[in-house]
Short mmCIF file of all heavy atoms in Angstrom, two decimals:
data_model
loop_
_atom_site.label_atom_id
_atom_site.label_comp_id
_atom_site.label_asym_id
_atom_site.label_seq_id
_atom_site.Cartn_x
_atom_site.Cartn_y
_atom_site.Cartn_z
N VAL A 294 -6.95 37.62 12.53
CA VAL A 294 -6.71 36.37 11.81
C VAL A 294 -5.26 35.91 12.04
O VAL A 294 -5.01 34.75 12.35
CB VAL A 294 -6.99 36.55 10.29
CG1 VAL A 294 -6.60 35.31 9.49
CG2 VAL A 294 -8.46 36.88 10.05
N LEU A 295 -4.33 36.86 11.94
CA LEU A 295 -2.91 36.53 12.15
C LEU A 295 -2.67 36.05 13.59
O LEU A 295 -1.98 35.05 13.82
CB LEU A 295 -2.03 37.75 11.82
CG LEU A 295 -0.53 37.58 12.07
CD1 LEU A 295 0.06 36.48 11.18
CD2 LEU A 295 0.23 38.90 11.80
N ALA A 296 -3.28 36.76 14.55
CA ALA A 296 -3.07 36.38 15.97
C ALA A 296 -3.61 34.98 16.23
O ALA A 296 -2.99 34.19 16.96
CB ALA A 296 -3.75 37.40 16.88
N ASP A 297 -4.76 34.63 15.61
CA ASP A 297 -5.33 33.29 15.79
C ASP A 297 -4.40 32.22 15.24
O ASP A 297 -4.22 31.16 15.83
CB ASP A 297 -6.68 33.16 15.07
CG ASP A 297 -7.81 33.76 15.90
OD1 ASP A 297 -7.56 34.16 17.05
OD2 ASP A 297 -8.95 33.82 15.38
N ILE A 298 -3.80 32.51 14.08
CA ILE A 298 -2.88 31.55 13.45
C ILE A 298 -1.65 31.33 14.33
O ILE A 298 -1.24 30.21 14.57
CB ILE A 298 -2.51 32.02 12.02
CG1 ILE A 298 -3.69 31.71 11.09
CG2 ILE A 298 -1.21 31.38 11.52
CD1 ILE A 298 -3.44 31.88 9.64
N VAL A 299 -1.11 32.42 14.85
CA VAL A 299 0.08 32.33 15.70
C VAL A 299 -0.24 31.55 16.98
O VAL A 299 0.53 30.69 17.42
CB VAL A 299 0.63 33.75 16.02
CG1 VAL A 299 1.71 33.70 17.07
CG2 VAL A 299 1.15 34.40 14.73
N ARG A 300 -1.44 31.79 17.53
CA ARG A 300 -1.82 31.11 18.77
C ARG A 300 -2.00 29.61 18.52
O ARG A 300 -1.56 28.78 19.31
CB ARG A 300 -3.15 31.71 19.28
CG ARG A 300 -3.57 31.20 20.64
CD ARG A 300 -4.29 32.27 21.43
NE ARG A 300 -5.53 32.68 20.76
CZ ARG A 300 -6.74 32.24 21.14
NH1 ARG A 300 -6.86 31.42 22.16
NH2 ARG A 300 -7.83 32.64 20.52
N ARG A 301 -2.62 29.26 17.38
CA ARG A 301 -2.84 27.85 17.08
C ARG A 301 -1.51 27.14 16.79
O ARG A 301 -1.29 26.02 17.23
CB ARG A 301 -3.80 27.71 15.88
CG ARG A 301 -4.46 26.37 15.79
CD ARG A 301 -5.97 26.47 15.87
NE ARG A 301 -6.59 26.84 14.61
CZ ARG A 301 -6.83 25.95 13.65
NH1 ARG A 301 -6.48 24.70 13.76
NH2 ARG A 301 -7.46 26.34 12.54
N ASP A 302 -0.59 27.83 16.11
CA ASP A 302 0.75 27.27 15.86
C ASP A 302 1.42 26.93 17.19
O ASP A 302 2.01 25.88 17.35
CB ASP A 302 1.66 28.29 15.15
CG ASP A 302 1.36 28.42 13.66
OD1 ASP A 302 0.49 27.70 13.16
OD2 ASP A 302 2.02 29.26 13.01
N GLU A 303 1.30 27.89 18.12
CA GLU A 303 1.95 27.71 19.43
C GLU A 303 1.38 26.51 20.16
O GLU A 303 2.11 25.66 20.66
CB GLU A 303 1.73 28.96 20.29
CG GLU A 303 2.92 29.89 20.23
CD GLU A 303 2.59 31.24 20.84
OE1 GLU A 303 1.68 31.31 21.71
OE2 GLU A 303 3.22 32.22 20.40
N GLN A 304 0.04 26.44 20.18
CA GLN A 304 -0.63 25.32 20.87
C GLN A 304 -0.25 23.99 20.25
O GLN A 304 0.01 23.01 20.94
CB GLN A 304 -2.16 25.45 20.75
CG GLN A 304 -2.78 26.36 21.80
CD GLN A 304 -4.31 26.33 21.71
OE1 GLN A 304 -4.92 25.37 21.25
NE2 GLN A 304 -4.93 27.39 22.17
N ASP A 305 -0.25 23.94 18.91
CA ASP A 305 -0.02 22.67 18.22
C ASP A 305 1.45 22.25 18.28
O ASP A 305 1.76 21.06 18.27
CB ASP A 305 -0.49 22.75 16.75
CG ASP A 305 -2.01 22.92 16.63
OD1 ASP A 305 -2.71 22.64 17.62
OD2 ASP A 305 -2.47 23.35 15.57
N SER A 306 2.36 23.21 18.36
CA SER A 306 3.79 22.89 18.34
C SER A 306 4.35 22.62 19.73
O SER A 306 5.35 21.93 19.87
CB SER A 306 4.60 24.04 17.74
OG SER A 306 4.07 24.40 16.51
N ASN A 307 3.72 23.21 20.75
CA ASN A 307 4.31 23.11 22.09
C ASN A 307 3.66 22.10 23.00
O ASN A 307 4.03 21.98 24.15
CB ASN A 307 4.30 24.49 22.76
CG ASN A 307 5.20 25.45 22.01
OD1 ASN A 307 6.21 25.04 21.44
ND2 ASN A 307 4.84 26.71 21.96
N ARG A 308 2.68 21.34 22.50
CA ARG A 308 2.06 20.34 23.38
C ARG A 308 3.02 19.17 23.57
O ARG A 308 3.89 18.91 22.72
CB ARG A 308 0.73 19.88 22.80
CG ARG A 308 0.89 19.12 21.50
CD ARG A 308 -0.44 18.67 20.93
NE ARG A 308 -0.21 18.01 19.66
CZ ARG A 308 -0.94 18.21 18.56
NH1 ARG A 308 -1.93 19.06 18.56
NH2 ARG A 308 -0.66 17.55 17.47
N ALA A 309 2.82 18.42 24.68
CA ALA A 309 3.75 17.33 24.98
C ALA A 309 3.52 16.10 24.09
O ALA A 309 4.46 15.43 23.69
CB ALA A 309 3.59 16.92 26.45
N THR A 310 2.24 15.82 23.76
CA THR A 310 1.94 14.61 22.99
C THR A 310 1.83 14.93 21.49
O THR A 310 1.03 15.78 21.10
CB THR A 310 0.59 14.00 23.45
OG1 THR A 310 0.59 14.00 24.87
CG2 THR A 310 0.41 12.59 22.92
N ALA A 311 2.62 14.22 20.69
CA ALA A 311 2.57 14.35 19.23
C ALA A 311 2.50 15.80 18.74
O ALA A 311 1.58 16.18 18.02
CB ALA A 311 1.38 13.54 18.69
#
Side-chain angles (χ1 to χ4, degrees):
V294 174
L295 177 62
D297 279 355
I298 283 190
V299 171
R300 187 147 63 101
R301 200 120 80 82
D302 282 358
E303 263 168 26
Q304 276 186 25
D305 294 342
S306 308
N307 295 328
R308 66 180 177 224
T310 315

